[in-house]
Amino acid sequence: MQCVTSTAFGPAELLHRLRARGTAEASPITHVERVPPRSGRPAPWPTWTDPSVRDAFAAAGIHAPWEHQATAATLAWEGKHVVLATGTASGKSLAYQLPALSALATDPKATVLYLSPTKALAADQLRAVARLGLDGVRPATFDGDTPREEREWVRQHARFVLTNPDMLHHSLLPGHARWGVFLRRLSYVVIDECHTYRGVFGSHVAHVLRRLRRAAVRYGSAPTFVLASATSGDPAGAASRLIGLPVTEVTEDTSPRGGVTFALWEPPLLPQSTLSLPIQSVSPVSSPPDSSSVAVPGSDALPDLSDLPDSSPDSAADESLFVDVELPPIRRSALRETADLLTDAIVAGTRTLAFIRSRRGAEVVASMTRRALEEAVPGLGERVAAYRAGYLREDRRAIERALLSGELLGLASTNALELGVDLVGLDAVLICGYPGTRASLWQQAGRAGRAGGEALAVLIARDDPLDTYLVHHPEAVFGRPVEATVLDPANPYVLGPQLCCAASEAPITESDLELFGGPAAAAAVQALVEEGALRRRPSGFYWTHRGRPDVDLRGTGGAPVAVVESSTGRLLGTVDQGSSHAMLHTGAVHLHQGVSYVVDELDLDDAIALVRQEEPDWSTHARDVTNLSVVNVRSYVDAGPVGLFLGEVDVTNQVVSYQRRRIGTGEVIDTRPLDLPVRELRTVAVWFTISPEALVAAGVEPSDFPGALHAAEHAGIGLLPLIATCDRWDIGGLSTAGHADTEAPTVFVYDGHPGGAGFAERAYAVASDWLRATREAIASCVCEAGCPACVQSPKCGNGNNPLDKAGAVKVLDTVLTALNTKPV
Ligand SMILES: [Zn+2]
Ligand SMILES: [Zn+2]
């Protein structure tokens, strides 16, 4: 296979070529940010640096630290817990290596523990530390792959142990007695990529770290924590919640970097179509419930015409009974747009990585690109592939190698490629849809750029309110970050199991309760005593069972569902149980490496989905039903006609049916019932209520309440990731013109994880910012009656019906005014 990279276009030429796709009056590019190259600001080695460490870095070609590295390192050396939150490739490792290695050199007994979210990153760090060749450091990884016989050596002799939170939780802490010597001498705990510890997983990790702190104290040490984070809002606050101690932040990046041309791209509107409708169905186009007759379905489909009333033979013959109606404008799908840009880039010889948010999307883009390339240059289609989690490890390694060698010119990948995999030499990165966090956005964009060269990054907006907002508000992408990493160590579904783990390691004393969360921990311990899991004795609370508690840090509710090809018994991959009802129900179309499979049977008991290869010309879309009741109110704001609340709720959800839609036209072929169990969730929600009088005064007719509230709910969920690091899929919502528990028109937005993960709390805390951005996203959308870029939701269990875009703006204005803010 020959490698064609010599003809590669530079970022400017490539951008010019891509720009040429737009028309003169409507360029898809809404903004171009030239992130200029920056020269670094070096600082002298801190005076406390051990000479052997300084010499080792010098021998490795590092002659001085950058200013931010020296600042963070010195804080850590002085014993202050510190978080360094700077961009990708800003040299965060040196900031913790410097104090950690100096400590090891100065105190021959000291030890260091390094935690990373992935094994690949830990292996990378091990190589970096080992390469320095410092005497007596004896770095070693300790993870699931470490052979039994080596583990004893690591415990006894390694002084720089690299591991991950799962290993800490499952092995090191339960076996703390055997780690006693290591723990007694523990001087630093390094937490790399700490922004990845968010949501439920982050809440678990927060307790694992508290257990580590308790074990350290038990053996007589009080290590200093050094955390490395991607840029985010309030890094010190997030780091402090994670470790449970005050943390100082360092956020100014003084490292040099290459220039990046960053374009924001909004797929163009498709030519407006007109449609002949029978005259009796024309008038209510913009008002529910009939608006569904011209509603635009999921983001990749053309207008859904299936719900149009069939014309009777009589009227069909009579032209006068028809009238032409303009369909709402729709944009080209981001997936198609990305596939086209990827095709152009590869034809131009540019090595390009396209990041796609969903696994399915990555498969679709890869296969569309393959087809287009094959048409352009036979054989070229072979040089693009899909890459995502859920592939088997061998397949992933083979793809990585092919991209590095140039055998592959393009890759359509999910964020599975984000961390740990070292890829250099890419010219361009296409980001199909905002990846949910700024950290991910810059991590993905940072994949482009050869050493010292210029790179191109393009963010292609999906039909999504947050994406629409961002491509029209570049300051939200390039200005100060507002999103914060959220986690909630007080989540009872995390706290209870973690206290059991803690008790099984050593009895929990009264003073430990403060460490684990104070009153919340005391209440949880009490409940565990009543359940019989813990027993109170004078010396503390004891774990009563023989074995260890079975607690999964990534607890997503049950084992992942295995996708198995029935004819061959081959394991294709896995899907987490939470998504399995919607993705792998019987009859669902499932894509793997661009190959389409149909699910014959989903066996939830055995967590297995049996599939067969088939390429039907339809896609499948699950429908669900949700109910919600309020359990309690934790906090509220009384703003006259408007109330804002935070509290616990019970949610029941059931996937009840699925639609088959024709690929290409989006025509609904049929809706088929499903027999799946109801799933119940107790979680945390934020909600607002508005008095009916205030809504009417704002110009919303009572008949439009449901559509207006529903539209506000969808957009509100869509904009939540702007303020908290969550995925729209982590969040659920419910809106109603009258709820039994609130007795008023209400919009609920809830955490999709048992016990809550901090998302609703964050939304409550910055409700005005969140709702103002939501209002802005809806109002700035060019569509007339609502589209996927503003108020329609791809996960609506109601088929996006009813929705009232104009009403949603009035709802949000009313709420914002009452909350004492000025609507934009
Ligand atoms: Zn719209
Ligand atoms: Zn909905």
Side-chain angles (χ1 to χ4, degrees):
M1 171 108 11
Q2 91 279 22
C3 293
V4 207
T5 47
S6 52
T7 55
F9 281 68
E13 300 94 294
L14 183 60
L15 183 61
H16 184 75
R17 268 175 83 105
L18 298 181
R19 194 193 283 274
R21 320 183 117 266
T23 59
E25 66 277 11
S27 166
I29 297 174
T30 58
H31 180 84
V32 176
E33 184 90 3
R34 166 102 174 95
V35 185
R38 180 179 61 202
S39 49
R41 228 161 55 213
W45 290 106
T47 48
W48 49 263
T49 308
D50 189 86
S52 68
V53 174
R54 193 185 53 213
D55 294 349
F57 279 120
I62 300 170
H63 298 286
W66 305 114
E67 212 175 277
H68 66 280
Q69 293 170 327
T71 307
T74 297
L75 283 163
W77 185 257
E78 290 166 352
K80 296 196 179 74
H81 310 295
V82 58
V83 59
L84 180 58
T86 49
T88 319
S90 60
K92 283 177 285 224
S93 326
L94 185 76
Y96 52 76
Q97 285 167 358
L98 200 54
L101 296 173
S102 284
L104 297 186
T106 318
D107 172 359
K109 290 187 167 171
T111 59
V112 170
L113 185 66
Y114 166 95
L115 299 172
S116 98
T118 63
K119 279 188 214 161
L121 184 57
D124 198 51
Q125 283 296 307
L126 174 71
R127 277 193 296 275
V129 172
R131 219 180 287 132
L132 292 172
L134 284 159
D135 279 343
V137 170
R138 298 191 293 271
T141 50
F142 185 78
D143 59 32
D145 297 340
T146 312
R148 293 258 156 231
E149 56 278 15
E150 267 177 43
R151 293 188 176 198
E152 193 49 34
W153 184 90
V154 174
R155 279 191 287 264
Q156 297 300 323
H157 303 290
R159 297 176 65 213
F160 197 119
V161 173
L162 301 104
T163 186
N164 54 62
D166 300 87
M167 220 37 205
L168 195 55
H169 165 68
H170 287 295
S171 174
L172 202 148
L173 288 169
H176 60 84
R178 285 184 289 169
W179 286 86
V181 176
F182 181 88
L183 288 169
R184 181 162 72 240
R185 297 165 173 175
L186 189 57
S187 54
Y188 285 102
V189 176
V190 177
I191 306 177
D192 207 352
E193 302 277 4
C194 68
H195 58 275
T196 56
Y197 305 127
R198 63 175 189 90
V200 173
F201 177 50
S203 308
H204 272 291
V205 173
H207 284 290
V208 172
L209 293 169
R210 282 158 180 74
R211 283 158 51 201
L212 172 66
R213 283 175 50 208
R214 192 173 70 127
V217 167
R218 193 180 160 84
Y219 290 94
S221 67
T224 301
F225 286 80
V226 189
L227 302 97
S229 167
T231 53
S232 72
D234 192 21
S240 172
R241 261 191 305 283
L242 184 64
I243 67 169
L245 292 165
V247 177
T248 308
E249 66 184 34
V250 174
T251 56
E252 198 196 351
D253 187 346
T254 58
S255 66
R257 67 170 175 218
V260 182
T261 300
F262 206 134
L264 302 182
W265 188 287
E266 188 173 44
L269 288 167
L270 292 170
Q272 188 109 1
S273 0
T274 51
L275 183 70
S276 288
L277 288 186
I279 206 149
Q280 63 272 25
S281 70
V282 169
S283 52
V285 155
S286 62
S287 65
D290 293 341
S291 63
S292 63
S293 62
V294 286
V296 181
S299 50
D300 291 321
L302 291 165
D304 181 356
L305 308 177
S306 57
D307 291 337
L308 292 176
D310 284 328
S311 43
S312 71
D314 285 350
S315 61
D318 187 347
E319 289 279 320
S320 67
L321 288 177
F322 283 73
V323 68
D324 284 345
V325 173
E326 286 214 332
L327 289 172
I330 47 164
R331 298 193 176 277
R332 280 195 92 220
S333 101
L335 291 176
R336 250 172 232 187
E337 198 79 347
T338 304
D340 284 357
L341 297 181
L342 184 57
T343 305
D344 284 4
I346 291 172
V347 167
T350 310
R351 249 197 258 185
T352 305
L353 183 55
F355 279 108
I356 324 289
R357 290 192 41 142
S358 71
R359 296 171 171 203
R360 176 178 289 227
E363 305 279 6
V364 167
V365 167
S367 70
M368 285 197 285
T369 307
R370 212 174 284 144
R371 226 173 295 138
L373 284 172
E374 211 47 53
E375 268 169 37
V377 183
L380 203 54
E382 307 267 302
R383 305 192 59 185
V384 64
Y387 182 107
R388 64 170 175 78
Y391 281 0
L392 301 173
R393 175 194 272 260
E394 310 85 85
D395 294 347
R396 291 169 63 174
R397 293 297 102 84
I399 295 171
E400 285 161 20
R401 278 196 302 276
L403 188 64
L404 283 170
S405 70
E407 199 181 314
L408 284 176
L409 275 176
L411 204 57
S413 172
T414 60
N415 65 4
L417 201 65
E418 225 173 71
L419 291 172
V421 182
D422 196 22
L423 279 180
V424 287
L426 295 167
D427 304 293
V429 167
L430 306 172
I431 301 166
C432 176
Y434 183 60
T437 66
R438 282 185 25 142
S440 294
L441 183 76
W442 287 102
Q443 214 136 28
Q444 294 181 354
R447 287 296 187 181
R450 295 162 190 261
E454 290 278 319
L456 175 68
V458 184
L459 170 64
I460 300 133
R462 285 179 312 161
D463 265 343
D464 175 283
L466 180 56
D467 287 33
T468 306
Y469 181 82
L470 291 172
V471 293
H472 293 287
H473 292 81
E475 73 282 359
V477 178
F478 304 104
R480 243 185 106 253
V482 288
E483 78 183 14
T485 306
V486 300
L487 49 103
D488 180 12
N491 176 335
Y493 294 87
V494 172
L495 186 53
Q498 284 290 334
L499 285 166
C500 291
C501 295
S504 76
E505 286 155 15
I508 297 174
T509 62
E510 290 290 339
S511 61
D512 288 339
L513 291 177
E514 202 49 48
L515 173 73
F516 289 107
V525 163
Q526 197 48 48
L528 291 168
V529 169
E530 280 157 27
E531 281 169 28
L534 298 186
R535 182 175 301 141
R536 181 173 203 146
R537 297 217 185 106
S539 54
F541 297 92
Y542 283 73
W543 172 242
T544 53
H545 302 285
R546 292 182 73 89
R548 281 191 213 124
D550 179 21
V551 176
D552 177 8
L553 298 188
R554 293 156 205 274
T556 46
V561 174
V563 184
V564 174
E565 190 176 28
S566 9
S567 59
T568 59
R570 191 163 68 102
L571 172 67
L572 299 176
T574 61
V575 169
D576 72 81
Q577 198 164 84
S579 316
S580 66
H581 289 208
M583 285 178 68
L584 292 177
H585 59 77
T586 301
V589 177
H590 181 75
L591 289 174
H592 177 78
Q593 267 290 24
V595 179
S596 161
Y597 295 85
V598 174
V599 178
D600 284 324
E601 192 193 344
L602 170 62
D603 182 340
L604 288 170
D605 292 332
D606 291 336
I608 206 173
L610 293 172
V611 304
R612 89 190 110 84
Q613 198 179 320
E614 191 187 328
E615 198 136 353
D617 67 341
W618 64 80
S619 56
T620 52
H621 304 259
R623 310 282 294 249
D624 62 3
V625 173
T626 300
N627 283 302
L628 182 150
S629 63
V630 174
V631 179
N632 63 44
V633 172
R634 279 191 199 167
S635 177
Y636 69 95
V637 178
D638 180 357
V642 169
L644 177 70
F645 300 82
L646 178 73
E648 269 185 296
V649 294
D650 277 333
V651 181
T652 59
N653 174 274
Q654 186 177 24
V655 174
V656 291
S657 63
Y658 68 101
Q659 282 186 340
R660 297 191 305 155
R661 295 193 201 145
R662 191 82 61 202
I663 290 169
T665 64
E667 173 207 350
V668 175
I669 301 164
D670 58 13
T671 300
R672 298 182 168 196
L674 287 168
D675 183 22
L676 284 163
V678 174
R679 283 179 301 169
E680 292 174 9
L681 176 73
R682 173 160 298 183
T683 185
V684 179
V686 56
W687 65 95
F688 60 78
T689 59
I690 315 175
S691 75
E693 296 75 23
L695 275 181
V696 171
V700 186
E701 290 302 316
S703 60
D704 294 338
F705 284 3
L709 296 163
H710 189 200
E713 172 218 320
H714 279 185
I717 293 171
L719 265 291
L720 201 64
L722 186 69
I723 53 149
T725 48
C726 60
D727 192 303
R728 152 177 206 153
W729 302 88
D730 286 333
I731 306 294
L734 185 87
S735 58
T736 163
H739 190 274
D741 295 327
T742 65
E743 298 177 331
T746 310
V747 172
F748 292 93
V749 172
Y750 58 86
D751 280 17
H753 303 277
F759 306 128
E761 249 174 284
R762 172 78 181 160
Y764 179 78
V766 293
S768 295
D769 293 345
W770 167 45
L771 295 175
R772 198 176 309 117
T774 303
R775 187 251 180 230
E776 174 78 357
I778 302 173
S780 67
C781 187
V782 296
C783 75
E784 225 167 281
C787 71
C790 57
V791 297
Q792 293 188 354
S793 163
K795 59 173 287 199
C796 184
N798 258 343
N800 281 303
N801 183 42
L803 287 177
D804 178 352
K805 179 185 174 185
V809 174
K810 292 172 190 162
V811 163
L812 292 164
D813 277 341
T814 309
V815 174
L816 286 163
T817 306
L819 291 176
N820 260 329
T821 55
K822 279 189 249 112
V824 179

